[in-house]
Amino acid sequence: MRRHNSYLTQELIIKLSVFLSYAAFSAWLSFFNLFLKKYLGFSDTQVGLISGVQQVNILLILPVWGFLADRFGRKKMLLLAMMATLLLFYGFLFQRLFLPVLFFTFLITLFYSPLSSLLDTIALDYHQQTGRSSYGNIRLWGSMGWAVASIVVGSFLVLDNLWLIFPVASFVMFAAWLILRLAYKPLIVKNHLASLRMAHLGQLIIADKRLLVFLIIIALYGISSAPIQYYINMYYNEIGATYRHLGIAYAVQALSELPFFFFGNYIVQKIGARRLMVITMLVTMLR
């Protein structure tokens, strides 16, 4: 009974941390491009270059953080990344020129980029080692956090106070950091990924060409979906959406994910992963 209560407490802590973390992500990412374009006056090309820096960092830095997390512990590295990110948010308040902002974006994404992956790892560790609460049931709290934050932040933003996205995101992330630091107790990690190297990936591709095809599909999907993911907020603004409308739009987008966290596994089993991927891509194209 005591172990059951301990597991339940840790589950609630993880869910609350995921909720707050994604709320912090939403508070700045939903409006970041508009801060660059409307508040700082950057051109579309400059905004695109700053978005590109974020993607390059994700590609380069995630394997390093994965190795460090397996070497020094998920909790330690997650807390380090969160603390660095929430402190670096304030740097944007003092930057007005393109090159300093570009550099600062590169700097902050060194620590911000692994946060969602590290949170996912904690959720997967918990599910694997307790058999309780699937990954989807934990991750849906992230979507709810994103939805709530986008509506709340969007409701009080105007052009002159767009800078508020950074202290708000920092404050919410600090709350998540504090909960993880004081209350989260990692379970024994059974899976270690430190031995996975690029040479191993090459061997896997040689052994099974289907993996190469799959990776190409993922790359093409990322290339085609990136413009929508990064610039949809600018498009909404251009067609007359207020910051409040933008927050509602992002909330609808986040909340639409919730049913799939509950029924995603059933749908995959019923339809098949391959057919489901084709259907979702077609629906996305039509959207």
Side-chain angles (χ1 to χ4, degrees):
M1 184 67 179
R2 181 177 298 176
R3 175 174 292 185
H4 171 79
N5 291 335
S6 176
Y7 285 164
L8 180 60
T9 300
Q10 288 301 297
E11 182 177 327
L12 293 174
I13 290 168
I14 293 172
K15 288 179 176 178
L16 181 57
S17 300
V18 170
F19 177 90
L20 291 172
S21 296
Y22 276 83
F25 301 165
S26 174
W28 79 288
L29 279 182
S30 298
F31 308 97
F32 183 52
N33 282 350
L34 295 178
F35 168 81
L36 297 174
K37 184 174 177 62
K38 298 293 185 179
Y39 190 81
L40 296 183
F42 290 171
S43 68
D44 292 341
T45 300
Q46 289 173 321
V47 174
L49 289 172
I50 291 172
S51 298
V53 163
Q54 298 176 56
Q55 289 302 298
V56 170
N57 261 0
I58 293 174
L59 178 64
L60 298 179
I61 204 66
L62 280 185
V64 177
W65 278 95
F67 173 80
L68 293 174
D70 288 323
R71 179 77 178 273
F72 300 106
R74 329 275 212 221
K75 180 178 178 179
K76 288 181 179 179
M77 299 314 299
L78 176 58
L79 291 175
L80 172 62
M82 292 179 77
M83 178 56 69
T85 299
L86 68 90
L87 291 175
L88 288 169
F89 275 138
Y90 292 98
F92 285 106
L93 302 179
F94 307 101
Q95 313 298 328
R96 291 293 182 270
L97 300 178
F98 170 67
L99 288 179
V101 171
L102 182 67
F103 171 76
F104 213 83
T105 302
F106 174 81
L107 184 62
I108 196 172
T109 50
L110 289 177
F111 298 94
Y112 169 78
S113 297
L115 288 180
S116 60
S117 296
L118 290 171
L119 288 167
D120 285 350
T121 302
I122 286 177
L124 290 168
D125 284 345
Y126 177 81
H127 171 66
Q128 181 192 24
Q129 296 168 52
T130 66
R132 298 171 53 88
S133 197
S134 69
Y135 164 75
N137 288 338
I138 295 175
R139 176 57 181 78
L140 69 86
W141 286 86
S143 294
M144 289 192 291
W146 187 288
V148 170
S150 66
I151 291 177
V152 172
V153 174
S155 65
F156 66 76
L157 284 181
V158 293
L159 179 61
D160 290 339
N161 69 4
L162 268 172
W163 58 271
L164 284 173
I165 62 177
F166 301 110
V168 169
S170 180
F171 176 79
V172 176
M173 188 171 291
F174 179 72
W177 181 93
L178 200 61
I179 291 171
L180 287 168
R181 173 67 177 83
L182 298 178
Y184 174 60
K185 298 178 181 179
L187 300 172
I188 298 173
V189 177
K190 298 178 181 179
N191 285 345
H192 295 276
L193 304 178
S195 62
L196 183 61
R197 296 182 174 88
M198 293 303 294
H200 296 166
L201 179 60
Q203 293 170 5
L204 289 172
I205 292 174
I206 294 173
D208 190 347
K209 299 298 184 184
R210 292 177 300 175
L211 178 59
L212 177 61
V213 174
F214 179 71
L215 292 175
I216 292 173
I217 292 172
I218 294 298
L220 292 174
Y221 175 77
I223 292 170
S224 60
S225 62
I228 297 296
Q229 293 175 358
Y230 275 91
Y231 306 121
I232 192 68
N233 49 7
M234 296 173 64
Y235 172 72
Y236 286 151
N237 186 254
E238 287 178 359
I239 62 175
T242 64
Y243 300 121
R244 181 173 177 271
H245 293 148
L246 183 61
I248 293 172
Y250 272 109
V252 170
Q253 178 178 313
L255 293 176
S256 68
E257 300 174 350
L258 298 186
F260 297 96
F261 289 126
F262 286 105
F263 306 112
N265 185 61
Y266 171 79
I267 296 173
V268 171
Q269 296 297 326
K270 196 75 174 177
I271 301 178
R274 182 177 182 178
R275 186 179 299 174
L276 183 60
M277 283 292 292
V278 172
I279 292 173
T280 54
M281 286 184 177
L282 289 174
V283 171
T284 302
M285 290 166 58
L286 290 173
R287 175 196 170 200

